[in-house]
Amino acid sequence: MKTFKDFAAADVQNVFLNLNEFADFHDIDGEKIKCVIDKNIISKIPEDGLVGDFINMTTLYADSKDLDAPEEGQWMSIDDSRHIVQSVSIEGTMLVIVLRENRQ
C-alpha cells in the first residue's frame, strides 16, 4: 500500500517539476536544470532613511538528484544573474535554495 510520502514524492515529479505545469529549464552555474524559480522583490529602507534599496529574493526548487546542494554564502549563477545563497534545505526529495541579490 502506498503511503502519503509516496504520493507526495510522485506529485513533486508529476506536477511541480513537470515541464508542462510549473517547471522550466534554467541555466544554473552553467548546467541546464529542471526547476521552479520564485522571485520576490522586497523594498528595504535602511537606517539612514534613504529609499531605493531593493532586495531580490529568489527561491529555487529542484530535485535533489539533479542539483548538488550549495553552501550558504556561496555565489550561484541563475540564467546569467549572480546571487548569493542565503539558505539551503531538503524537503523530501526537493532541494530548496533561497538566494539573494541586492539591487538599487
Side-chain angles (χ1 to χ4, degrees), residues 1-48:
M1 178 175 188
K2 287 191 174 189
T3 65
F4 175 76
K5 289 181 182 180
D6 295 329
F7 287 110
D11 280 349
V12 165
Q13 291 303 317
N14 298 330
V15 179
F16 195 66
L17 290 178
N18 183 324
L19 292 170
N20 293 318
E21 300 294 336
F22 295 105
D24 288 303
F25 281 104
H26 290 274
D27 185 317
I28 310 296
D29 290 333
E31 291 186 48
K32 294 289 183 193
I33 303 291
K34 182 172 62 170
C35 59
V36 174
I37 294 180
D38 181 32
K39 292 188 177 195
N40 187 11
I41 298 174
I42 300 168
S43 176
K44 178 182 174 188
I45 299 175
E47 290 180 16
D48 62 10

